[in-house]
Every structure is written in structure tokens, then in C-alpha cells.
Amino acid sequence: MNSYIRQLDDQTQRLLWVVGALTLSMLPHVANVPAWIVLFAAATAVWRVAAQVRGWRLPPKWLRIIVVVLAVASVLAGYRTLNGLEAGTALLVLMAASKLLETKDRRDLTGLLFISFVLLFAALLYEQGLMQLPYMLVTVW
């Protein structure tokens, strides 16, 4: 496995690291967001990595806009608001997953890393236990 990662180009390696960081940042939210959001995030991550490895084209802008509008409408329908901890976290997870559909360069990946930090710190709004500290430190590193 390690030798396979070394054979990947730099952009693919960066994408894998960012998807890993995003995944670790989303894990604390799995219990707090609906299952369809978790599945959507996982599906976009798997699809984006496959698209990078196989050389597939990214979805067109019109399709990405439709996905984002449907995501916002779904959160609004499910939570009856876009404000608050639960709805805001759900929307942030959806927007991070949607951002994966348009990552092309280093700047986009850096933006995803910052979204990962926000997701990780949002997890502290749910629970601030001492046992959570090692996970947070490892994930931030």
C-alpha cells in the first residue's frame, strides 16, 4: 500500500491527504447529522478520489449548482432553519463534501483544509471532554 501511494503524482497525494483530514474532521459529527449526509459525504469523497486516479472530468458547474441547492433545501426541510448548531453543522458537512466536487488545484485543497479545521472545532460545541483532546490533536496535526 505504501509503495502504491509513492507511485501517485503530487496532486493525487495531496488530494488523498486532504480527503483523509476531511474524513477525520467529519467523524465526530456522524452521530449528530442524518445518515444521508454522512453517505453523501462518503460518496463524494470516494468519487473524487476515483476521478483523480482514473482521470475523469469533474462535474459541470450546472450540476454542482443543482447539488448545492438541493443540499441547502434538504437541510432547510429537515431542520426548518439554517441557523443553530445542528443545522449549521449539517450544512457545513454538506458544503465540504460539495467542495470536493470542484477541487482542481492547491488553492481548493487549502480551502478544504480550513473547512476541516472549522468542522473539527464545531465538534467541540457538542462535547468538550478531556478524552476528546488526543483525537483533536492528532487530527489537527
Side-chain angles (χ1 to χ4, degrees), residues 3 6 8 11 16-17 25-26 29 36 39 51-52 61 71 76 90 93 105 113 134 138:
S3 63
R6 283 191 209 129
L8 298 174
Q11 183 68 14
L16 287 173
W17 279 106
S25 297
M26 286 183 185
H29 300 288
W36 69 269
L39 291 174
Q52 180 71 29
K61 187 175 185 175
L76 190 56
V93 170
D105 55 17
L113 280 178
V138 167

Side-chain angles (χ1 to χ4, degrees), residues 16-94:
L16 287 173
W17 279 106
V18 169
V19 167
L22 194 59
T23 302
L24 289 175
S25 297
M26 286 183 185
L27 281 178
H29 300 288
V30 169
N32 302 318
V33 297
W36 69 269
I37 293 177
V38 175
L39 291 174
F40 176 76
T44 56
V46 168
W47 182 87
R48 182 60 186 99
V49 170
Q52 180 71 29
V53 170
R54 298 188 185 268
W56 298 340
R57 291 177 48 169
L58 295 178
K61 187 175 185 175
W62 63 267
L63 183 60
R64 293 189 316 253
I65 290 171
I66 290 172
V67 167
V68 168
V69 168
L70 287 174
V72 171
S74 298
V75 169
L76 190 56
Y79 291 97
R80 306 282 187 243
T81 184
L82 295 177
N83 294 329
L85 180 59
E86 291 85 11
T89 302
L91 190 60
L92 186 59
V93 170
L94 282 171

